[in-house]
Amino acid sequence: RVRNQARFNIPNVGTGGGFLSGGMTYATNLKTTNAETFNESSTPMWELYTFRNNDNTRFVHFTTLESFPLDVLWAQVVPEVPKFSSSSQLLVSVQPMRDLGPHGQLIINAPTAFVLFCRLSPFFTKGNLPAGASCSGANNFAIVQLAGSDFLERGVVYQFSLRVTNPAQVKDAAAQWSIRLQTQERELVHETSQVASYALAPRAISRFAVAPVSAKMDLATWLRVQFKLETVLARASANLIQLHAPEGFRYSCANSQARNGFVLPSEAVLAGNMDQFTDLSLVLEPPAARGLEAYRNDGTTEDGRAMVDCAQPGVLGLVVDYTDLLTLGRYAFRVQVMNPSETPDLNVWTLQSYSDSQLVEQGATRGYEIVVSASPVVDGLFAPQQQLPLLVSKATHSSLRSVLWVVASAAILS
């Protein structure tokens, strides 16, 4: 913390009755505490004064010097349900710039009126924190305690979640969160008080979750997505649902769109096949009827929008015709994604709904951990819940003969 604004924070360096000669270079070491915040757009300045005969009212020399840049403790907080007065999991990501040793503590301080809770295991997900980490919290702060054999390594992004209850109203929209790393003796290791808060809305997407068939690295796999909308999307409006994947994920439909210029919804978006959730594929806006002048192809709406848009990397856009109250806003679908080679640093999926280009609701959920596999993977390319005969029908002739040989050998042995 570089306190060079107030007079009482400016150190006085005396010469002990001696004098400073002109033209000489002098040096000294001062112990300082770096500032809690750092803004790259505005450069703070150090000021140096010299005085004679303890007369602090008139300086002899004066100069200024640009301050050194500070390494900011990067952190981010994302709620699953950004809604007023709602409770959900808060997805926390922290990247320490210094190591935190055994019995260290990570303290999260939320703005006033937010309530954090993590004492019980259902409300605290460790993520990639050490296995011995525990959490306790009350009111607007929570403490993550490391065990005696645990530590946090600098430069690594740690992700975990705890329970948060949002306030009924926000008095200070500019209020920020703070995160502090300290030792068991409460000595400061690293701290930041400029963690941006999140915007709250009267309505938000809830029950949002993603589940892959396989989490293996560099594998094309089908992903099941479920969510609940609170706002009904009217048929008279231009409705859009966007699924934002973490960095490194790619939607397989991007290849079809780049090759053909459009994506067939029947091939890219499959039924979710979940109880109490309606298949989103049933309410996608259809293309214009064949033979009409407005008809372009089976993947483009009458007004020229892509029914399934995969052009933007990591973003899936689905044009929805309408939603209704009979479904209670619960929908599910499946889409094929390409897993990255490792778990992303910021492993958060985001879902947004738009009506006439205006954001209506949004929600977030924690992603899945990527499983590193040393051997090449050839499975996982098919949609989940398909039956074995369908899988066999897609096999090559040699694979089919192998399957039949295994069945015949089993019959002979039996």
Side-chain angles (χ1 to χ4, degrees):
R1 186 179 295 112
V2 183
R3 298 176 176 175
N4 59 348
Q5 303 297 324
R7 293 289 300 178
F8 61 85
N9 287 324
I10 299 179
N12 294 319
V13 181
T15 60
F19 62 91
L20 300 180
S21 301
M24 295 291 294
T25 299
Y26 296 90
T28 185
N29 293 325
L30 300 176
K31 185 177 182 180
T32 65
T33 301
N34 293 331
E36 295 179 353
T37 61
F38 179 73
N39 188 358
E40 296 180 355
S41 60
S42 60
T43 304
M45 303 296 294
W46 290 70
E47 298 178 354
L48 176 65
Y49 298 82
T50 62
F51 301 93
R52 181 185 291 120
N53 298 327
N54 292 327
D55 184 3
N56 293 338
T57 60
R58 291 179 295 179
F59 62 86
V60 180
H61 304 94
F62 168 75
T63 187
T64 60
L65 180 67
E66 290 187 1
S67 179
F68 50 86
L70 299 178
D71 293 331
V72 179
L73 172 62
W74 179 86
Q76 185 179 53
V77 291
V78 179
E80 288 187 343
V81 183
K83 178 183 175 182
F84 289 108
S85 302
S86 68
S87 295
S88 65
Q89 288 296 102
L90 180 72
L91 311 176
V92 182
S93 302
V94 181
Q95 185 180 27
M97 301 302 294
R98 300 183 65 184
D99 296 335
L100 182 63
H103 299 293
Q105 295 177 339
L106 189 153
I107 302 177
I108 304 170
N109 197 343
T112 306
F114 286 86
V115 179
L116 303 179
F117 181 76
C118 58
R119 184 176 297 274
L120 301 179
S121 57
F123 304 117
F124 175 55
T125 304
K126 298 179 183 180
N128 61 340
L129 286 175
S134 60
C135 184
S136 61
N139 298 324
N140 64 327
F141 72 93
I143 301 177
V144 177
Q145 179 75 50
L146 301 182
S149 59
D150 296 337
F151 65 92
L152 299 185
E153 185 179 354
R154 62 180 178 181
V156 178
V157 178
Y158 293 93
Q159 302 183 68
F160 57 94
S161 65
L162 62 154
R163 197 72 170 177
V164 62
T165 300
N166 298 322
Q169 59 180 355
V170 177
K171 297 181 180 180
D172 185 8
Q176 295 180 320
W177 296 59
S178 66
I179 292 182
R180 175 186 175 94
L181 301 180
Q182 65 181 25
T183 64
Q184 186 179 15
E185 293 76 21
R186 299 184 179 180
E187 294 182 359
L188 175 64
V189 175
H190 206 173
E191 182 179 13
T192 179
S193 59
Q194 57 185 115
V195 181
S197 188
Y198 48 87
L200 296 176
R203 296 185 177 186
I205 296 176
S206 59
R207 302 192 68 173
F208 173 38
V210 295
V213 174
S214 175
K216 293 181 179 180
M217 58 178 289
D218 299 326
L219 172 69
T221 184
W222 286 91
L223 184 76
R224 179 184 285 111
V225 182
Q226 68 173 62
F227 59 93
K228 179 181 178 181
L229 302 176
E230 288 194 48
T231 304
V232 175
L233 302 178
R235 174 171 284 172
S237 303
N239 306 313
L240 176 68
I241 290 180
Q242 280 190 342
L243 177 63
H244 296 257
E247 184 178 0
F249 284 88
R250 293 183 294 109
Y251 292 102
S252 300
C253 55
N255 300 328
S256 299
Q257 189 162 2
R259 181 176 59 253
N260 304 324
F262 66 94
V263 177
L264 288 176
S266 58
E267 297 180 357
V269 181
L270 305 185
N273 294 334
M274 293 189 64
D275 295 337
Q276 301 179 354
F277 284 83
T278 302
D279 293 333
L280 186 67
S281 58
L282 300 177
V283 295
L284 294 180
E285 185 170 336
R290 290 178 178 269
L292 295 181
E293 184 178 357
Y295 176 80
R296 294 174 174 84
N297 50 64
D298 290 339
T300 305
T301 63
E302 185 176 353
D303 56 359
R305 292 180 298 160
M307 298 169 57
V308 179
D309 189 1
C310 310
Q312 187 176 351
V315 180
L316 174 68
L318 302 175
V319 176
V320 177
D321 190 12
Y322 68 95
T323 62
D324 54 45
L325 296 175
L326 297 179
T327 62
L328 302 178
R330 300 175 181 177
Y331 293 92
F333 66 94
R334 289 175 295 162
V335 63
Q336 193 178 64
V337 299
M338 176 66 72
N339 290 333
S341 57
E342 59 182 359
T343 303
D345 288 339
L346 187 57
N347 195 13
V348 177
W349 294 73
T350 305
L351 189 70
Q352 298 173 330
S353 64
Y354 292 85
S355 180
D356 292 333
S357 302
Q358 298 295 321
L359 178 64
V360 179
E361 298 174 3
Q362 63 179 348
T365 187
R366 184 174 182 270
Y368 51 92
E369 298 293 326
I370 299 299
V371 178
V372 179
S373 176
S375 59
V377 181
V378 296
D379 58 352
L381 298 177
F382 304 106
Q385 296 188 358
Q386 288 179 325
Q387 300 299 321
L388 180 59
L390 183 57
L391 294 181
V392 173
S393 64
K394 293 178 177 288
T396 60
H397 294 292
S398 59
S399 300
L400 183 57
R401 287 196 299 268
S402 300
V403 173
L404 297 177
W405 182 86
V406 171
V407 175
S409 301
I412 295 173
L413 293 175
S414 62

